[in-house]
Amino acid sequence: MGAIALAAEPPKLDAANTAWMIVAAALVLFMTLPGLALFYAGLVRAKNALSVLMQCFAITCVVTLAWVVVAYSVAFGDGGASNAWWGGLGKSFLAGIEVKTVKGTLPESLFAMYQMTFAIITPALVIGAFAERVRFSAMLLFSLLWLLFVYAPIAHWVWGEGWLQQLGIMDFAGGTVVHANAGVAALVCALVLGARRGFPDTAMPPHNMTMVVAGACMLWVGWFGFNAGSALAADGTAAMAVLVTHIAAATASLTWMFCEWARYGKPSVLGIATGMVAGLGTITPASGFVGPMGAIAIGLLAGALCFLATNYMKRVLGVDDSLDVFPVHGIGGMLGTTLTGVFAASALGGVGYAEGRSMLGQIGVQLAGVAVTVIWSALLTWVILKVCDAILGMRVTQEHETEGLDTALHGEKGYNL
């Protein structure tokens, strides 16, 4: 009788977990505003700096409302018989979420807010691929449709009791849902929309490296909320996630720096900052499952492979993924998700696998998750781009692109010098 009574007890709110998760939600929002906004704005040319800031700001607002209206329900609702595929519409307009509504040990309002910050930064990452050449109106429509038809379903599959979660995928904070997803979408955007005018013959260096570094530092700090917050508790898993996240970022930064130093003769500030982002993106899926030595290995591989991928895309393939979203986030997310299956092994300092699951079996599940994410994101992104182009036209005119989006689309300038 005691066990039955205990099982019947309603979920109980934990004050420590709630306090930490409020902070984590603020940290993840801080990653987009101002972190990613400044990072991306500094990377583009001066005539387009405001356009990128505006895009990050507007995406935050649009995604917030879309999340409340329907996207939270699709991602984290209960779809009943079809729950393997989507969460249904039962929680549309956050129906049933009140002050006392609890999910796990957290207020569900806080859980919804925390997951909203992930939904905000993922389409914001994608804009780096088509920076400096897309209409603002088309960008808004694209981001909205992409959130609803690409992000929300994958989030449900991996985190909302969907079929990939049931399969046993290990994706702690978004190697598939966020990074591989955004990276593949970015690659499709770059291929479909084509290069910026003058690429690759005209040099298009970042206009403000100080802004880039400031944004990168904010991303590094905010990422602790991203990864450690995904424990949804103030516990040892969150603490280890903080540690391995930091270790991987530092390792990847130095690896990228030394690769660049050896290849081009000078270590650049842009390189060490980009290496940090690659390390953070790659450790994200593994952050709740690996130990410090696994984090070093993941950071080393992230710094080296993302460096090689970035140079190969730009210099060999000639793909104008303006701010290197695919080689950093896409490759990093796929690499990290796969390596989670390796370094989660208890023999390598990780938390171990589910009962009856071998390393090879777990790697197979991880690769299946990566493959599904790549296919879904690529196909749906292509369809959404075509729809947006037919309705609004995705690219600005040649005159507007030459003039710069700040004045052409927004009637403002980032600098009056």
Side-chain angles (χ1 to χ4, degrees):
M1 287 295 294
I4 295 173
L6 188 65
E9 286 184 9
K12 186 176 180 181
L13 185 143
D14 184 283
N17 292 349
T18 300
W20 158 236
M21 291 306 298
I22 290 173
V23 174
L27 284 170
V28 182
L29 182 60
F30 182 72
M31 290 172 67
T32 304
L33 297 175
L36 185 72
L38 290 175
F39 183 69
Y40 274 2
L43 287 170
V44 299
R45 290 167 288 180
K47 63 183 180 180
N48 296 309
L50 282 182
S51 73
V52 173
L53 294 171
M54 179 69 166
Q55 287 173 13
C56 288
F57 211 107
I59 283 173
T60 301
C61 301
V62 168
V63 169
T64 296
L65 294 179
W67 192 250
V68 170
V69 172
V70 70
Y72 174 72
S73 185
V74 172
F76 292 101
D78 184 355
S82 58
N83 194 59
W85 303 104
W86 77 313
L89 301 176
K91 287 189 178 292
S92 296
F93 296 95
L94 302 187
I97 299 180
E98 301 173 352
V99 171
K100 294 183 179 180
T101 310
V102 177
K103 188 175 181 70
T105 62
L106 304 173
E108 189 170 3
S109 57
L110 176 55
F111 177 80
M113 174 66 198
Y114 180 70
Q115 294 298 342
M116 180 201 295
T117 60
F118 278 66
I120 287 168
I121 197 169
T122 310
L125 288 173
V126 178
I127 68 172
F130 51 61
E132 305 192 286
R133 58 195 186 275
V134 170
R135 296 178 190 272
F136 181 69
S137 57
M139 181 281 305
L140 285 178
L141 180 60
F142 171 82
S143 298
L144 173 62
L145 295 176
W146 194 86
L147 170 79
L148 297 176
F149 295 104
V150 182
Y151 179 85
I154 295 178
H156 182 76
W157 299 343
V158 176
W159 293 332
E161 303 297 330
W163 70 277
L164 282 174
Q165 189 170 10
Q166 298 302 321
L167 196 62
I169 191 170
M170 301 175 81
D171 184 356
F172 194 69
T176 54
V177 181
V178 177
H179 296 288
N181 193 9
V184 169
L187 178 60
V188 173
C189 287
L191 292 172
V192 171
L193 296 176
R196 291 167 289 180
R197 283 174 56 90
F199 179 90
D201 301 319
T202 304
M204 301 178 186
H207 89 278
N208 190 330
M209 278 306 304
T210 304
M211 188 183 290
V212 171
V213 174
C217 294
M218 292 170 186
L219 284 170
W220 194 334
V221 173
W223 223 288
F224 296 134
F226 199 80
N227 286 0
S230 292
L232 301 178
D235 60 11
T237 299
M240 182 60 79
V242 167
L243 178 61
V244 299
T245 296
H246 187 69
I247 290 170
T251 305
S253 285
L254 289 178
T255 302
W256 189 300
M257 182 191 78
F258 283 118
C259 287
E260 189 176 57
W261 204 344
R263 178 67 178 83
Y264 300 110
K266 293 181 180 179
S268 74
V269 176
L270 177 59
I272 198 169
T274 307
M276 175 272 296
V277 177
L280 290 169
T282 307
I283 194 63
T284 287
S287 55
F289 305 119
V290 303
M293 295 305 103
I296 290 177
I298 288 171
L300 283 168
L301 289 167
L305 292 181
C306 292
F307 170 79
L308 293 172
T310 299
N311 283 277
Y312 185 75
M313 276 195 66
K314 280 278 200 297
R315 297 170 185 273
V316 179
L317 299 180
V319 176
D320 188 17
D321 177 350
S322 309
L323 309 183
D324 302 320
V325 184
F326 176 73
V328 173
H329 294 278
I331 295 296
M334 290 185 272
L335 175 66
T337 302
T338 305
L339 292 177
T340 300
V342 177
F343 292 104
S346 54
L348 298 176
V351 298
Y353 305 115
E355 187 176 350
R357 181 65 56 82
S358 66
M359 180 186 290
L360 196 59
Q362 189 63 51
I363 292 172
V365 172
Q366 302 300 103
L367 289 172
V370 168
V372 166
T373 301
V374 169
I375 293 167
W376 183 264
S377 183
L379 288 177
L380 269 292
T381 299
W382 183 84
V383 170
I384 292 168
L385 282 172
K386 293 299 182 182
V387 169
C388 293
D389 191 45
I391 296 173
L392 296 171
M394 286 297 296
R395 283 198 68 145
V396 297
T397 64
Q398 292 186 2
E399 292 76 13
H400 284 176
E401 189 173 340
T402 301
E403 179 186 354
L405 305 191
D406 291 0
T407 54
L409 299 186
H410 305 294
E412 298 170 297
K413 288 185 178 181
Y415 304 93
N416 289 297
L417 303 175

